[in-house]
């Protein structure tokens, strides 16, 4: 069983969009009865639902991609309204999320699935509970890390810093995915788009697993195969 933290170099980099596509692509590659699960431990920026409570949009998208195999309350145990970091949103609400609740949800999901994608909130060091970050959660749960980088001008610095934190903390990095969600400049508008993957690899030695952009129906299956190959590689490869 593999559990992976999907993190980004900041917020709004396309982690959920990529996660949804990757879950569906992985499901098509795993032999039955193996399944892919998802978790978004804490989500802020949630909207009120028609029947009360808060609806976690990102967690719901991931949950639906898995075929709703698990209770949404387990996929996303904590939800907050204000669009700030979960730690700040919880503080404003006068709440203290309990790590034991997250641990129990994670263990239950990990036991049910061959592969579990855990989506962080914001970047690697964005606070989740007090001073606890996604990096801390990765260490606590023994997660390997997949880094999502928006392929646009200025991404190399933030991506390099994220990879440096992972290396400094001894957290295993599966690789980097460059993401080009709708709205980013085209290669014609931003010449750096063509060079960013190669330059990041040269600067950091990071494994570039692929890029998802204009042809997701082709790119996501390739990415899923590359990810499975890395997961199945011998330790230290």
């Amino acid at each position: 069983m593999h559990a992976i933290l999907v993190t980004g170099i900041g917020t709004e980099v396309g982690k959920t969009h990529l996660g949804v596509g990757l879950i569906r692509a992985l499901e098509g590659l795993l032999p039955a009865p193996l399944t892919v699960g998802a978790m978004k431990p804490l989500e802020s920026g949630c909207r009120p639902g028609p029947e009360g409570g808060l609806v976690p949009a990102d967690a719901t998208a991931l949950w639906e991609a898995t075929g709703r195999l698990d209770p949404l309350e387990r996929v996303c145990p904590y939800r907050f309204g204000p669009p700030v970091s979960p730690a700040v949103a919880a503080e404003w609400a006068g709440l203290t999320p309990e790590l034991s609740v997250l641990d129990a949800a994670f263990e239950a999901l990990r036991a049910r699935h061959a592969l579990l994608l855990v989506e962080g909130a914001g970047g690697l060091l964005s606070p989740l509970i007090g001073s606890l970050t996604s990096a801390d959660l990765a260490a606590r749960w023994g997660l390997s890390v997949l880094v999502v980088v928006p392929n646009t001008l200025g991404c190399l610095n933030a991506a390099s810093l994220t990879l440096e934190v992972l290396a400094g903390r001894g957290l295993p990095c599966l690789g980097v995915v460059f993401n080009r969600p709708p709205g980013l400049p085209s290669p014609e508008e931003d010449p750096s788009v063509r060079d960013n993957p190669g330059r990041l690899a040269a600067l950091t030695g990071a494994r570039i697993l692929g890029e998802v952009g204009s042809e997701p129906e082709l790119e996501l299956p390739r990415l899923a195969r590359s990810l499975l190959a890395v997961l199945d590689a011998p330790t230290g490869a």
Side-chain angles (χ1 to χ4, degrees):
M1 205 296 304
H2 297 286
I4 299 170
L5 172 68
V6 180
T7 191
I9 63 171
T11 191
E12 300 299 329
V13 299
K15 295 189 300 295
T16 303
H17 182 263
L18 179 68
V20 166
L22 192 53
I23 287 169
R24 291 172 175 158
L26 288 165
E27 285 280 13
L29 296 174
L30 292 179
L34 301 181
T35 57
V36 181
M39 185 180 187
K40 176 92 172 181
L42 308 99
E43 183 169 339
S44 51
C46 301
R47 297 184 179 276
E51 299 178 1
L54 293 171
V55 177
D58 292 349
T60 298
L62 295 168
W63 175 61
E64 290 179 342
T66 65
R68 303 185 178 189
L69 294 176
D70 304 286
L72 183 57
E73 291 73 20
R74 184 175 293 164
V75 173
C76 185
Y78 288 105
R79 306 127 185 230
F80 305 100
V84 294
S85 72
V88 173
E91 182 181 324
W92 287 356
L95 300 173
T96 303
E98 297 182 18
L99 267 173
S100 60
V101 172
L102 298 183
D103 289 342
F106 171 73
E107 292 298 341
L109 291 168
R110 179 165 63 173
R112 280 178 48 80
H113 302 289
L115 182 59
L116 178 63
L117 299 188
V118 180
E119 183 183 312
L124 186 64
L125 296 183
S126 297
L128 300 177
I129 303 174
S131 61
L132 182 133
T133 66
S134 291
D136 297 319
L137 212 55
R140 183 181 182 90
W141 290 347
L143 306 178
S144 300
V145 183
L146 183 66
V147 180
V148 181
V149 177
N151 194 353
T152 188
L153 182 66
C155 70
L156 295 180
N157 178 65
S160 298
L161 289 171
T162 297
L163 294 167
E164 188 170 313
V165 169
L166 291 174
R169 296 193 179 203
L171 296 172
C173 180
L174 295 171
V176 173
V177 179
F178 276 86
N179 192 34
R180 300 202 69 254
L184 285 184
S186 67
E188 291 71 29
E189 297 167 319
D190 179 0
S192 72
V193 167
R194 297 187 183 90
D195 289 346
N196 283 332
R199 291 195 181 276
L200 183 65
L203 285 168
T204 66
R207 178 190 292 113
I208 310 301
L209 290 176
E211 180 172 5
V212 178
S214 60
E215 297 181 300
E217 67 283 353
L218 299 176
E219 296 156 346
L220 283 164
R222 284 199 295 262
L223 174 60
R225 285 191 289 269
S226 296
L227 181 59
L228 290 176
V230 172
L231 290 171
D232 289 339
T235 302

